[in-house]
Amino acid sequence: MSKNTYYITTPIYYVNDVPHIGNAYTTIIADVVSRYHKLKGERAFLLTGTDEHAIKVAQAAGDKGLPTKEFVDGLVEKFKQVWASLDVQYDDFIRTTEPRHINVVHAIFSRLLEQGDIYKGEYQGWYCVPCETFLAESDLVEGKCPECGRAVEWVQEENYYFKLSAYSDKLLDYIESHPGFLQPEFRKNEVVSFIKQGLRDVSITRDNKGWGITVPGDESKVIYVWFDALINYISAIGYLSDDEKFNSLWPADLQLMGKDIFVRFHCTFWPAMLMALGLEQPKTLFGHGFWTINGEKISKSKGNAISPAKLADDLAAESGASRGVCLDAVRYFVAREVTFGVDGDFSIASFRNRFNSDLANDLGNLLNRTLSMLNKYFDGRIPDPKGFSGGLKETIAQTAKTAEEYCDKFEFTRALEAIWQMIGAGNKFVNDMKPWELEKQGKTDELAGVLYSALEVARAAAIMISPFMPATSVEIARQLGIADEFASLTWADTIAGNPFKPGTKTQGPDPIFPRLDTKKKVEAVKLEPKPEETPLSEKTEETISYDYFSKLKIRIAEVISAERVEKADKLLKLQVSLGDEQRQIVAGIAQYYEPESLVGKKIVLLANLEPAKIRGIVSNGMLLAATGEDDRAVILTPESDVPAGSKVR
Ligand code: MSP
């Protein structure tokens, strides 16, 4: 099989601590790119993972008094939880302690040794543990690591070397003849000057202190963590084990990382390793900038290592918006605020301002006002427009084209700007056309055209923002009455392909972005609870505060109708009543309950769980059930009758 899938990688993160907004940034952008390609109808594959053999990882475990493997196993779970809570849809997660990785590292080491790219020598020099980098005397700045400014340690060991110096000219030639290879352009120039200064061979082993991948045939040594780690990009996708898979993915289309690990590791060492292996180079290596928080460098010791999940939780608690929407606000902010590639500042004030201006005022307003007017004038049904008006059709088509061009060039800020200009044009059109006056004048056709066109803008926006704001776009689709078809829409459907069907019944409006009080004094950014506060060694069940519990909206609901979901033998689709509101939910109980037996039953519903799509069907809440014998689901019902909508507390 030949290459047929867009392949994106993030760096694999050191598991010496939980992820912060900096690590999350790379991963969120990678997720945006992957979703964007899937939205265009292409195959995409996103790889992330953890880099576990670093000395600093073993040291962090030692500090906690834990065996290193136990320590990393605990943190890996934390990483996975954070990515899940950020709605990151990775296709594989590689851990460098997995046999599938270790086997490939061994095979590569042996092959390069055999072909002379690796040789044995004596290393004398400096090593920076925080950066896991070998440094020469001339690299040091005032005796400290040039990258992180911290103290370095002297190392004198018999080591194996990789012949990096042999690749200088080949690397320069490749970089010069492949313009899109290293991005952004100004970072490419840094790489070129780094290589031109002269490349030294790199030591690729350390003495074995009990943690790391041992050198094949030489147990006294472990392989240097960067040589091991870079190989993840190919070991995870079947290099030397699954040719078909490997060939369908390699070369990677986009390898993302921060500027800290761009020049030396990803643009010099990694391409040289690939050259030695006779493999193609990735199409693009992209080194993005670094975030500061409220103007300060992100650092655990400063206590500003902001956790995006926590930011979203706090925002949800303050605003009443769903957690998914608040998380999307974080995703939107990081993609919108700073040009991808350069450094940026995560100021909480700017974040809150963007929430109010871009999300509540622009996007939210367009949806709310058009849906309200649709309720008022057309009973909430999309009218037959008899044509678009106000040039909005052209605006949408042009925006789809422009935003696509920008996304393809990794210019996410500009792509979002273009989409927001379209939203602005929709709002302006409604202001200018004054639908309420058209109604008074009895100009029903014109009124229909105006509302239809404005709603088409909202629909196109929902599709275009879906890679950036997945939960929000699903909620917009629900309110627009196109929830069922939304998952199958593609970028091309923004306009010509699949316009609104007249007669579609819309929902709501249920305002998605409640405005924030910008005068409110914002609390200092809080840290993700530190590992010390939640010891990984203790396998106790986490407790939650009453305050946290009180945020759960658990209600009694009455089942109005129930039916099986086609081609899903475990799922039932239920319509339930909460007294003043009707909901659709999907529940995995079809093996245990006949749909008819549920009608009229009172069930317990977690009502403020963010809407999810299950097999293309929107589920707006979760039925609660106990796990009975043989794992069967046993639904909960109130002991005596209470009205639908009653609170459960
Ligand atoms: N384990 C190595 C990578 C090996 S890849 C084969 C590593 N890990 S790390 O945990 O330190 O992650 C570094 C990456 O986290 C950066 O390259 C960048 O992608 C991200 N960021 C860390 N801090 C950041 C900011 N303050 N701002 C933006 N991104 C940052 O290096």
Side-chain angles (χ1 to χ4, degrees):
M1 184 181 288
S2 55
K3 168 123 177 123
N4 61 7
T5 304
Y6 193 95
Y7 177 34
I8 313 139
T9 65
T10 73
I12 47 171
Y13 302 101
Y14 290 129
V15 276
N16 53 340
D17 212 335
V18 289
H20 56 64
I21 190 102
N23 315 132
Y25 178 53
T26 321
T27 316
I28 288 172
I29 296 292
D31 184 56
V32 167
V33 176
S34 172
R35 287 174 184 265
Y36 163 72
H37 282 277
K38 286 178 182 158
L39 181 62
K40 290 210 301 180
E42 298 164 24
R43 286 171 198 259
F45 189 94
L46 167 58
L47 175 70
T48 190
T50 42
D51 188 355
E52 306 187 12
H53 291 126
I55 297 173
K56 63 180 170 186
V57 168
Q59 283 177 353
D63 292 348
K64 300 270 174 314
L66 289 176
T68 313
K69 185 67 169 63
E70 190 182 318
F71 172 76
V72 294
D73 286 350
L75 273 178
V76 165
E77 282 319 303
K78 284 249 172 197
F79 267 82
K80 287 186 175 168
Q81 278 166 19
V82 172
W83 299 151
S85 78
L86 298 183
D87 218 349
V88 169
Q89 289 182 341
Y90 53 78
D91 297 282
D92 199 353
F93 187 104
I94 179 104
R95 297 183 55 179
T96 52
T97 47
E98 288 176 69
R100 63 170 171 156
H101 174 72
I102 296 172
N103 293 340
V104 178
V105 174
H106 276 159
I108 289 178
F109 192 98
S110 304
R111 173 174 159 191
L112 297 186
L113 186 66
E114 200 178 295
Q115 74 187 36
D117 274 297
I118 292 179
Y119 63 93
K120 214 168 181 174
E122 170 81 17
Y123 181 78
Q124 276 196 23
W126 299 99
Y127 191 81
C128 171
V129 174
C131 297
E132 301 287 355
T133 310
F134 288 99
L135 296 163
E137 184 71 40
S138 56
D139 290 328
L140 305 188
V141 175
E142 294 173 1
K144 303 269 171 59
C145 169
E147 186 63 41
C148 70
R150 281 179 274 198
V152 288
E153 62 183 40
W154 178 253
V155 176
Q156 192 161 0
E157 291 170 351
E158 188 189 48
N159 275 354
Y160 291 82
Y161 279 86
F162 174 70
K163 257 193 195 164
L164 185 63
S165 58
Y167 290 91
S168 302
D169 292 343
K170 287 186 206 146
L171 284 170
L172 286 173
D173 284 352
Y174 191 88
I175 293 167
E176 287 314 327
S177 56
H178 294 81
F181 178 43
L182 306 185
Q183 294 189 47
E185 188 69 17
F186 67 92
R187 289 201 202 286
K188 166 184 145 180
N189 301 338
E190 284 173 43
V191 177
V192 170
S193 23
F194 177 74
I195 300 175
K196 282 189 173 158
Q197 277 166 26
L199 294 178
R200 292 184 302 266
D201 292 348
V202 203
S203 170
I204 52 159
T205 57
R206 296 291 322 257
D207 279 349
N208 186 354
K209 305 255 170 66
W211 186 242
I213 301 181
T214 50
V215 169
D218 187 351
E219 296 270 312
S220 70
K221 305 274 168 221
V222 288
I223 293 172
Y224 169 47
V225 66
W226 269 101
F227 187 84
D228 154 2
L230 288 162
I231 290 173
N232 91 87
Y233 300 133
I234 51 178
S235 66
I237 57 163
Y239 180 60
L240 301 180
S241 67
D242 182 345
D243 288 351
E244 195 172 321
K245 182 171 182 187
F246 183 71
N247 293 335
S248 71
L249 291 164
W250 195 259
D253 294 86
L254 179 63
Q255 298 208 256
L256 288 179
M257 73 234 52
K259 62 180 182 179
D260 55 333
I261 54 175
F262 185 68
V263 177
R264 186 187 286 261
F265 297 114
H266 280 89
C267 299
T268 308
F269 195 17
W270 176 228
M273 284 168 70
L274 290 169
M275 283 176 179
L277 291 169
L279 288 174
E280 277 182 72
Q281 298 297 330
K283 299 209 176 114
T284 297
L285 289 159
F286 198 108
H288 63 70
F290 257 41
W291 285 95
T292 49
I293 301 282
N294 290 331
E296 290 200 69
K297 199 174 162 204
I298 301 180
S299 118
K300 301 264 150 152
S301 51
K302 283 206 182 94
N304 67 352
I306 188 173
S307 140
K310 173 94 174 53
L311 198 66
D313 287 340
D314 288 352
L315 188 65
E318 177 190 340
S319 68
S322 82
R323 188 184 177 284
V325 162
C326 293
L327 176 65
D328 281 356
V330 178
R331 292 172 59 112
Y332 170 75
F333 182 80
V334 293
R336 172 69 185 81
E337 184 75 355
V338 172
T339 303
F340 193 54
V342 303
D343 293 344
D345 184 45
F346 199 113
S347 121
I348 301 294
S350 328
F351 172 60
R352 294 172 69 87
N353 283 339
R354 277 210 183 275
F355 187 92
N356 280 345
S357 63
D358 302 10
L359 303 182
N361 287 2
D362 298 343
L363 178 58
N365 192 21
L366 176 69
L367 189 70
N368 296 343
R369 67 201 306 209
T370 43
L371 285 178
S372 303
M373 287 189 264
L374 199 70
N375 282 342
K376 211 156 151 197
Y377 307 137
F378 294 98
D379 194 24
R381 284 191 190 278
I382 303 287
D384 191 346
K386 313 211 166 36
F388 263 88
S389 44
L392 286 184
K393 184 171 183 170
E394 294 68 29
T395 306
I396 297 172
Q398 184 53 47
T399 306
K401 191 165 166 280
T402 316
E404 184 175 4
E405 279 165 12
Y406 284 133
C407 283
D408 287 341
K409 292 192 282 184
F410 316 117
E411 295 188 28
F412 308 112
T413 300
R414 291 206 161 145
L416 288 169
E417 244 166 40
I419 298 170
W420 254 256
Q421 270 165 18
M422 173 186 80
I423 294 168
N427 273 322
K428 180 170 183 310
F429 179 61
V430 173
N431 292 346
D432 293 350
M433 297 308 290
K434 302 190 175 61
W436 46 96
E437 287 185 4
L438 295 175
E439 202 262 342
K440 272 193 211 135
Q441 294 156 9
K443 294 182 176 164
T444 315
D445 280 353
E446 235 181 286
L447 176 65
V450 170
L451 289 185
Y452 186 93
S453 307
L455 283 161
E456 267 292 342
V457 171
R459 195 188 74 107
I463 300 174
M464 291 181 210
I465 65 170
S466 65
F468 299 90
M469 308 178 73
T472 306
S473 61
V474 168
E475 175 55 17
I476 297 177
R478 183 188 73 79
Q479 297 195 25
L480 291 177
I482 52 166
D484 289 348
E485 66 195 77
F486 193 66
S488 57
L489 294 181
T490 66
W491 189 271
D493 290 312
T494 43
I495 185 78
N498 202 354
F500 258 132
K501 288 174 197 57
T504 303
K505 178 82 178 94
T506 62
Q507 312 281 322
D510 302 319
I512 303 177
F513 308 103
R515 279 184 63 84
L516 302 174
D517 176 2
T518 44
K519 296 207 183 65
K520 181 172 177 279
K521 196 170 169 311
V522 185
E523 264 183 79
V525 176
K526 292 207 203 81
L527 252 182
E528 168 91 0
K530 282 198 183 142
E532 300 91 66
E533 290 158 17
T534 50
L536 294 164
S537 51
E538 283 173 32
K539 302 261 184 291
T540 52
E541 290 201 311
E542 253 185 56
T543 55
I544 58 168
S545 64
Y546 181 77
D547 195 23
Y548 188 100
F549 170 71
S550 65
K551 286 179 198 140
L552 304 179
K553 198 169 148 192
I554 307 178
R555 296 282 184 273
I556 299 297
E558 181 171 355
V559 180
I560 302 170
S561 66
E563 58 184 278
R564 291 186 185 279
V565 174
E566 252 181 50
K567 295 195 201 115
D569 49 6
K570 296 199 177 127
L571 299 181
L572 290 185
K573 180 164 100 177
L574 310 179
Q575 304 297 333
V576 300
S577 161
L578 287 173
D580 55 357
E581 186 194 346
Q582 192 173 322
R583 298 278 188 100
Q584 171 174 294
I585 60 169
V586 177
I589 53 172
Q591 290 158 296
Y592 315 111
Y593 291 94
E594 284 306 318
E596 308 76 52
S597 71
L598 294 173
V599 176
K601 246 194 177 41
K602 298 268 169 66
I603 58 162
V604 183
L605 185 78
L606 177 59
N608 61 343
L609 187 70
E610 68 193 42
K613 222 170 202 187
I614 305 172
R615 293 288 175 102
I617 303 172
V618 172
S619 182
N620 210 344
M622 183 173 80
L623 169 147
L624 300 185
T627 309
E629 258 174 37
D630 299 323
D631 256 356
R632 60 172 294 127
V634 180
I635 58 176
L636 307 180
T637 52
E639 192 262 332
S640 60
D641 198 25
V642 285
S646 301
K647 276 189 185 172
V648 177
R649 49 198 171 111

